[in-house]
Amino acid sequence: MESGIDSKSKGEKGTILVTNDDGIQAPGLNALVSVLVSTHRFNVLVCAPQLEMSAVSHSITWRQPLRVEKVEMDGATAFKASGTPADCASLGVSSVLFPSVPDLVISGINQGSNCGYHTVYSGTTAGAREAFLNGVPAISISYDCYGGLSFEEFEKMLSLIDIIVIVPINKNIDSAAAKACLPIISGIIAEIKNNTYPQGCFLNMDLPKDVANHKGYKVTKQGKSMMKIRWKQITSHGQPSEIEHHLLFRRQLSGCQVDIDDSDHKSLQEGYISITPLGVLTHPDKDCKAYFEDWLPNLIQQHQSHNPLLD
């Protein structure tokens, strides 16, 4: 993808746009902005959803205008918007809200990891993907703050709330997570300024729970880990539904699929900061492609032999 970075002076501060899916008040976003501002090396812009928008994937606002309002954020020019993470990233790189296109878009820091197939559902990943679609280098960053919980403990935690909410984390931990990202962010900005940063992917970064004692930075591949979901019929009071006019169903966790090979999720669980290059679309397994290349001609041949009119 092409980018507008060629025209930018190498001597200027790098300009970073921060967005997320946890909302403008999320501790992860505010910790990241605070750390970026404290370095005095970046111009920091923010455009984030006004409300929590977890698991909205790459949904966009189409029929309604976005309502955008300026907010106070020390050292940064910041706005909250009524749209999704993808909306905020798109608006932020459009040169309509801010005077120029940022050098880099960072979506995060999300509370909860986004490895494997979870990147499909993630609004955090979508914020970075939208920037990439618009030709701007991007990173999505997530923090595995729930790491170490057993599946049963995680399921119990979610059962106590009606929707996914932001669970505050110790400010020192938030700051440590943000600081752990700085070497990667600074390195990417330097590559962008030198016109040597690759334009064929965006990055998905996951930070381990004990981020202050991480084992290092590791380039990984996207795995297939994900939570499995079942549905339970309920009433508004959480009991089995016997309502005649409508039915209520709630998602529940039923298990999890975990990678056993070298992947983003496995590296994260081992204590590494996982850095995974992603494209807009994932590629199918080679075995699947080979299967369908063999299957399709045979299918058409068989079908035509039974349907002469198709010849």
Side-chain angles (χ1 to χ4, degrees):
M1 287 192 171
E2 293 182 356
S3 149
I5 62 177
D6 290 344
S7 62
K8 297 183 179 180
S9 168
K10 295 180 182 180
E12 295 177 355
K13 287 184 177 181
T15 299
I16 296 175
L17 169 69
V18 181
T19 190
N20 72 346
D21 72 353
D22 288 336
I24 189 73
Q25 295 183 337
L29 179 142
N30 283 272
L32 177 60
V33 170
S34 178
V35 167
L36 291 174
V37 169
S38 71
T39 67
H40 304 289
R41 299 201 301 264
F42 311 111
N43 298 312
V44 183
L45 313 174
V46 180
C47 183
Q50 65 184 17
L51 301 174
E52 196 268 343
M53 285 270 179
S54 293
V56 299
S57 190
H58 208 109
S59 61
I60 62 172
T61 303
W62 186 259
R63 292 181 176 86
Q64 301 295 327
L66 292 186
R67 184 175 62 257
V68 178
E69 182 180 346
K70 192 167 185 178
V71 298
E72 293 298 322
M73 196 169 287
D74 288 345
T77 304
F79 293 88
K80 62 181 180 180
S82 60
T84 66
D87 289 331
C88 292
S90 177
L91 181 63
V93 303
S94 68
S95 299
V96 174
L97 185 62
F98 302 109
S100 62
V101 177
D103 296 288
L104 177 68
V105 171
I106 303 176
S107 186
I109 298 172
N110 183 67
Q111 295 202 28
S113 64
N114 275 310
C115 293
Y117 285 162
H118 289 148
T119 60
V120 176
Y121 300 100
S122 168
T124 302
T125 310
R129 187 188 300 113
E130 180 66 25
F132 172 71
L133 287 170
N134 284 274
V136 181
I139 320 171
S140 53
I141 304 177
S142 300
Y143 171 47
D144 189 23
C145 54
Y146 308 120
L149 290 180
S150 68
F151 174 76
E152 291 76 17
E153 290 170 331
F154 187 69
E155 184 178 33
K156 183 178 180 180
M157 181 190 72
L158 291 184
S159 71
L160 298 176
I161 54 179
D162 291 329
I163 59 172
I164 299 174
V165 298
I166 303 304
V167 181
I169 304 174
N170 182 288
K171 288 185 178 180
N172 292 331
I173 298 176
D174 284 328
S175 179
K179 288 177 180 177
C181 302
L182 274 181
I184 304 302
I185 295 169
S186 297
I188 289 175
I189 288 291
E191 294 294 322
I192 291 171
K193 291 295 185 180
N194 290 329
N195 297 320
T196 53
Y197 190 72
Q199 300 299 302
C201 67
F202 66 98
L203 297 181
N204 184 51
M205 184 186 309
D206 278 278
L207 309 169
K209 183 175 183 179
D210 189 10
V211 65
N213 297 301
H214 68 84
K215 293 183 179 179
Y217 303 85
K218 189 174 183 180
V219 176
T220 58
K221 67 176 182 179
Q222 183 183 23
K224 299 179 180 179
S225 60
M226 67 177 297
M227 291 290 184
K228 297 292 187 179
I229 300 296
R230 65 174 182 264
W231 291 90
K232 181 180 179 180
Q233 188 174 349
I234 62 167
T235 67
S236 58
H237 302 293
Q239 301 300 319
S241 175
E242 297 179 355
I243 301 174
E244 294 182 5
H245 302 295
H246 65 272
L247 301 174
L248 298 176
F249 296 90
R250 184 190 296 278
R251 288 181 182 267
Q252 289 188 327
L253 300 181
S254 63
C256 55
Q257 173 180 305
V258 179
D259 298 310
I260 59 174
D261 61 347
D262 190 21
S263 67
D264 47 4
H265 179 267
K266 184 179 179 183
S267 297
L268 180 67
Q269 298 309 305
E270 291 174 347
Y272 291 95
I273 293 179
S274 171
I275 301 172
T276 308
L278 295 179
V280 175
L281 301 174
T282 58
H283 297 289
D285 293 338
K286 292 181 180 179
D287 290 343
C288 291
K289 186 173 185 294
Y291 173 86
F292 284 108
E293 285 176 342
D294 180 62
W295 171 81
L296 184 58
N298 290 332
L299 174 69
I300 299 301
Q301 185 177 11
Q302 292 174 15
H303 190 64
Q304 288 180 337
S305 67
H306 290 89
N307 295 273
L309 293 177
L310 295 178
D311 292 337

